[in-house]
């Protein structure tokens, strides 16, 4: 076997290895993209459910005590949660923050009122909202870990150039 045949086999093996690694990168990219989409839908659903529970909490609380003061309600009434939000967008961040502030304000207002703090329905709604907060934190942690994997595979050396040509952007995690 001549030296150039050995060199040819080595080059062929490297090309095959490069192709296999590129295929693997594309497979992992597709996997993480699908998982991130699924997690984003779940996070949106949790925020929508939290919005609905806060709306019900607002209606029940105001029906029992019309004089209750919840200053953040003006921001709550302006929220638009019908359409899916893009994770990391300004709308997503502001919705998440407004829902947290409104929940905190309602919890404080209900706990300060002797009549409202004894109402079982309001306690149940607050408990449901707390459970949704825990679910959100869990989904956000899973989303963030998947973002790390996604960003790794789009920046992986052999496939980085393919993704740059396709203008694939790195994802940001949920804060």
């Amino acid at each position: 076997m001549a030296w150039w045949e050995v060199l040819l086999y080595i080059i062929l093996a490297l090309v095959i290895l490069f192709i296999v690694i590129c295929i693997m990168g594309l497979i992992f990219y597709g996997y993480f993209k699908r998982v991130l989409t699924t997690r984003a839908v779940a996070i949106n659903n949790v925020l929508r459910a939290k919005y609905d529970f806060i709306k019900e909490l607002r209606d029940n609380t105001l029906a029992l005590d019309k004089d209750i003061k919840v200053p953040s309600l003006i921001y709550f009434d302006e929220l638009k949660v019908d359409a899916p939000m893009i994770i990391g967008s300004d709308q997503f961040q502001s919705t998440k923050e407004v829902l947290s502030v409104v929940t905190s304000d309602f919890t404080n207002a209900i706990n300060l009122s002797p009549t409202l703090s004894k109402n079982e329905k309001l306690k149940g709604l607050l408990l449901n909202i707390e459970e949704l907060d825990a679910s959100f934190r869990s989904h956000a942690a899973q989303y963030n870990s998947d973002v790390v994997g996604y960003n790794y595979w789009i920046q992986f050396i052999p496939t980085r150039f393919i993704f740059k040509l396709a203008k694939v952007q790195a994802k940001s995690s949920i804060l």
Side-chain angles (χ1 to χ4, degrees):
M1 194 181 270
W3 67 269
W4 59 271
E5 290 176 324
V6 172
L7 183 62
L8 188 62
Y9 284 126
I10 291 172
I11 291 172
L12 181 64
L14 289 175
V15 168
I16 290 172
L17 181 63
F18 179 77
I19 291 171
V20 167
I21 290 173
C22 285
I23 291 171
M24 185 177 72
L26 292 172
I27 288 170
F28 278 115
Y29 164 76
Y31 167 76
F32 279 110
K33 186 170 177 144
R34 188 174 61 250
V35 167
L36 286 173
T37 301
T38 303
R39 297 224 193 277
V41 168
I43 288 169
N44 272 297
N45 289 340
V46 168
L47 287 179
R48 251 186 248 113
K50 185 175 179 180
Y51 174 84
D52 292 339
F53 276 116
I54 292 173
K55 196 174 184 181
E56 187 177 347
L57 180 68
R58 176 194 65 188
D59 296 343
N60 286 314
T61 304
L62 291 175
L64 295 171
D65 184 359
K66 296 211 183 292
D67 297 328
I68 193 165
K69 301 287 184 234
V70 181
S72 56
L73 268 181
I74 58 172
Y75 303 111
F76 179 75
D77 293 332
E78 296 172 3
L79 287 179
K80 306 272 189 278
V81 295
D82 296 334
M85 293 172 279
I86 298 170
I87 305 287
S89 68
D90 291 338
Q91 179 196 12
F92 175 80
Q93 294 294 4
S94 65
T95 300
K96 184 177 73 133
E97 291 169 10
V98 166
L99 291 177
S100 294
V101 169
V102 171
T103 301
S104 177
D105 286 353
F106 263 114
T107 303
N108 292 337
I110 290 170
N111 288 337
L112 291 174
S113 170
T115 56
L116 295 178
S117 62
K118 295 176 185 170
N119 188 296
E120 291 301 319
K121 185 166 188 168
L122 297 180
K123 286 182 186 177
L125 288 170
L126 286 173
L127 183 63
N128 288 339
I129 292 169
E130 287 176 23
E131 290 171 358
L132 286 171
D133 282 338
S135 177
F136 176 83
R137 287 189 300 274
S138 173
H139 285 296
Q142 292 170 342
Y143 181 88
N144 289 342
S145 69
D146 290 334
V147 163
V148 171
Y150 174 87
N151 289 341
Y152 173 80
W153 283 105
I154 66 168
Q155 295 170 359
F156 190 60
I157 294 293
T159 55
R160 177 186 308 181
F161 309 108
I162 296 170
F163 292 126
K164 280 192 179 188
L165 287 174
K167 297 182 180 170
V168 174
Q169 300 289 324
K171 301 268 186 194
S172 60
S173 58
I174 299 173
L175 302 176

